[in-house]
């Protein structure tokens, strides 16, 4: 029902405001039919009323009152929240506040994130090295193969009596790490965990989940096919003579902004074996043995190969226990030539990687050695990042616990940490868990939002208390638009997605739209790239420019928790009551 006056109420300001972007910040992909639905109205408002209307403005389907004004902690932004959770009408709508430009359109429905759930996993296909991407799977982002990596040199930093510097080995396949064309074991660690854990937590869901990759339809879940592409590369990074694992496969320096097949800087190297890489490798291979062992027909011998690789890697760490074996690019460049100036993933504290490896080796081997070592593993309740992986084993222990009591015991530290994430949640003007502290907004900070979401999903799995899932969903709301920048931070998703990510194929392919499904790093107040930033506050220091690797790059360890979070929500939406049968 509308009157002439109410219609004019909407249309007049919108005409003047059309050129302006709306100050309404909301999940630009949408909301579950019966799930929480909130938007953040930023800046001054002339009215406390808000309306949800059809996109043409003709029908008003919800009327509400904005909540009280709150200053953001991390920028000069003033926010008033609009809660329209009671609206359960399916369709496409906008949020209107009299005097302001209407919000971006959004969907209310049973599967507003279905496309995103597939695309963020498909993003790994687009990161594949050593193979061409065909139009049948890659669409307009088809490209020739780059980096065969069949002739890779052992760098001086990795040389030993059996493989002297200059030895040629093959290390093909795997995923490019991020916007660059190098391949890093440490960053593969947490990334592979998230994808394999997603499968282990939701096998039935992923069994029906096709993302149109070359392996689709082979009787194996696509998520496992995609992860296997990187796992097989990882196996090539282990020295068969001693079980040690090279830290990365890399150029000596970063490539220019060219396509993979044009990136012919040579030679490529494998560099120094590191303790962190070898522990991460052991953990991933132990998981891989457990999981791919269920697909022995499709992958005969793979589970055994993974198990043996995991044990050999562990044996190397026992002979090289010194944390000084953590990778330090500065140190190796002091004596080994040529100097290596690509990404470091340096970490001289390998205790967390060791604990993760022990846990996964125990859960797969279930033998006395790792059972006794498991007694030395503390409850690690630190938010996971590429350099802090101690939490990952705890999630696996929870998942595979042999009894409800053991499950509860394994869950406890994680539920406690998830609970701590909710402390002072009301102080966050945008009503998200992301932004609880300024530290959330660092290099790759959007992965903090996704990892917090994963933590909250586990708390839900452990307690079935829906508040945890609601708060996990608030971080997806953050990533997809309810944030101070107004961006939906995933390429190809939302009305205002990144268009110029620091991602060499997206820059060099001549295709206007960037490769889809990739999560950019997000606001990073340190702005280490010295690019030009229009906004420089803690939660606004983001620029959608190819220059900005510190805020606008993509990375495999950032997409991985997003894959887990979005697909977990899709798998749990019915049980949680977000959608009704
Ligand atoms: O660990 C310290 C912490 O103790 C301190 O409180 C904090 C203060 O800001 O800094 C922390 O160190 C940060 C480190 O990441 C660990 O989180 C550094 O400031 C920060 O510069 C560093 O950024 C990393 C960046 O490489 C530079 O090394 C990112 O996490 C990492 O994602 C990024 O990874 C790059 C690869 O090297 C190359 N490929 C692209 C990829 C993504 O940009
Ligand atoms: O493209 C590189 C990106 O993947 C890294 O995260 C970043 C920091 O290590 O470095 C980028 O490469 C830049 C290099 O560091 C400096 N010269 C310009 C390169 C392209 O931006």
């Amino acid at each position: 029902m509308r009157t002439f006056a109410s219609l004019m109420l909407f249309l007049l300001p919108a005409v003047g405001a059309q050129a302006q972007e709306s100050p309404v910040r909301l999940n630009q992909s949408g909301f579950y039919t019966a799930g929480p639905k909130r938007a953040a109205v930023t800046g001054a408002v002339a009215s406390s009323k808000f309306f949800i209307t059809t996109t043409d403005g003709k029908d008003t389907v919800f009327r509400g009152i904005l909540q009280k004004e709150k200053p953001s902690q991390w920028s000069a932004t003033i926010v008033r929240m609009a809660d329209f959770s009671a609206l359960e009408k399916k369709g496409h709508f906008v949020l209107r506040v009299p005097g302001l430009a209407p919000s971006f359109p959004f969907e209310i429905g049973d599967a507003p994130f279905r496309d995103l759930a597939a695309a963020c996993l498909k993003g790994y296909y687009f990161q594949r090295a050593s193979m061409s991407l065909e139009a049948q799977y890659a669409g307009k982002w088809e490209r020739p193969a780059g980096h065969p990596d069949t002739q890779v040199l052992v760098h001086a930093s990795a040389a030993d009596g059996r493989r002297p510097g200059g030895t040629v080995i093959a290390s093909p396949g795997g995923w490019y790490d991020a916007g660059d064309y190098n391949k890093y074991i440490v960053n593969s660690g947490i990334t592979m965990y998230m994808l394999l854990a997603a499968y282990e937590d939701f096998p039935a869901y992923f069994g029906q989940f096709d993302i149109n990759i070359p392996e689709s339809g082979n009787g194996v879940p696509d998520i496992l096919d995609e992860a296997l592409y990187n796992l097989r590369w990882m196996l090539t990074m282990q020295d068969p003579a001693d079980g040690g694992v090279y830290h990365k496969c890399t150029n000596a320096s970063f490539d220019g902004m060219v396509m993979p097949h044009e990136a012919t800087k040579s030679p490529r190297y494998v560099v120094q074996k590191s303790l962190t890489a070898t522990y991460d490798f052991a953990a991933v291979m132990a998981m891989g043995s457990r999981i791919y062992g269920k697909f022995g027909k499709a992958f005969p011998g793979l589970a055994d190969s993974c198990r043996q690789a995991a044990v050999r890697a562990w044996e190397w760490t026992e002979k090289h226990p010194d944390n000084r074996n953590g990778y330090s690019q500065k140190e190796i460049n002091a004596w080994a030539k040529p100097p290596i100036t690509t990404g470091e993933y340096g970490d001289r504290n390998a205790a967390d990687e060791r604990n993760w490896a022990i846990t996964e080796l125990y859960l797969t081997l279930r033998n006395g050695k790792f059972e006794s070592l498991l007694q030395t593993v503390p409850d690690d309740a630190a938010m996971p990042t590429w350099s802090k992986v101690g939490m990952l084993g705890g999630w696996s222990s929870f998942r595979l616990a042999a009894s409800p009591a053991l499950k509860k015991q394994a869950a406890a530290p994680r539920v406690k940490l998830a609970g701590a994430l909710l402390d002072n949640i009301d102080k966050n003007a945008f009503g998200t868990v992301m932004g609880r502290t300024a530290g959330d907004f660092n290099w790759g900070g959007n992965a903090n939002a996704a990892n917090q979401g994963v933590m909250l999903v586990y708390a839900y799995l452990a307690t079935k208390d829906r508040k945890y899932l609601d708060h996990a969903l608030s971080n997806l709301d953050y990533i997809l638009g309810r944030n101070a920048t107004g961006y939906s931070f995933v390429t190809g998703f939302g009305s205002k997605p990144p268009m110029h990510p620091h991602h060499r194929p997206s820059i060099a392919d001549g295709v206007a739209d960037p490769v889809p499904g990739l999560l950019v790093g997000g606001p990073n107040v340190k702005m280490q790239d010295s690019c030009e930033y229009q906004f420089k506050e803690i939660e606004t220091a983001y620029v959608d420019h190819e220059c900005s690797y510190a805020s606008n790059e993509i990375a495999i360890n950032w997409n991985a928790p997003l894959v887990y979070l979005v697909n977990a929500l899709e798998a749990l939406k019915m049980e949680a009551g977000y959608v009704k049968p």
Side-chain angles (χ1 to χ4, degrees), residues 177-178 180 184 343-345 386 443 526 528 549 553 555 558:
D177 182 61
D180 62 318
Y184 306 77
E344 181 181 31
Y345 290 114
W386 60 262
W443 192 323
K526 290 202 168 176
Q528 292 92 336
Y549 52 76
E553 187 162 11
W558 302 344

Side-chain angles (χ1 to χ4, degrees), residues 409-431:
Q409 178 187 329
R414 276 146 282 286
V415 173
K416 187 178 174 190
L417 181 63
L421 288 177
L422 307 187
D423 288 348
N424 303 318
I425 188 81
D426 293 340
K427 284 178 70 176
N428 188 337
F430 285 88

Side-chain angles (χ1 to χ4, degrees), residues 178-180 254-255 257 341-343 443 502 504 546-547 549 553:
D180 62 318
F254 285 115
D255 294 288
M257 294 302 156
T341 59
T342 53
W443 192 323
H502 183 91
R504 286 169 171 77
E546 63 184 50
C547 159
Y549 52 76
E553 187 162 11

Side-chain angles (χ1 to χ4, degrees), residues 31-39 82-88 108 482:
F31 304 88
Y32 284 120
T33 310
K37 305 174 191 74
R38 296 199 294 167
D83 191 326
F84 53 105
S85 303
L87 174 61
E88 297 193 357
I108 294 178
R482 197 165 101 218

Side-chain angles (χ1 to χ4, degrees), residues 282-312:
V284 170
M285 291 304 154
M287 288 185 85
S289 176
R290 194 167 72 221
I291 292 167
Y292 290 100
K294 299 181 189 320
F295 298 89
K297 271 191 185 170
F299 309 120
L302 176 64
D304 279 347
S305 301
C306 291
R307 182 177 47 75
Q308 289 166 26
V311 171
R312 297 277 284 114

Side-chain angles (χ1 to χ4, degrees), residues 32 147 263 342 373 389 450 580:
Y32 284 120
H147 305 94
T342 53
L373 281 166
V389 293
K580 292 172 177 159

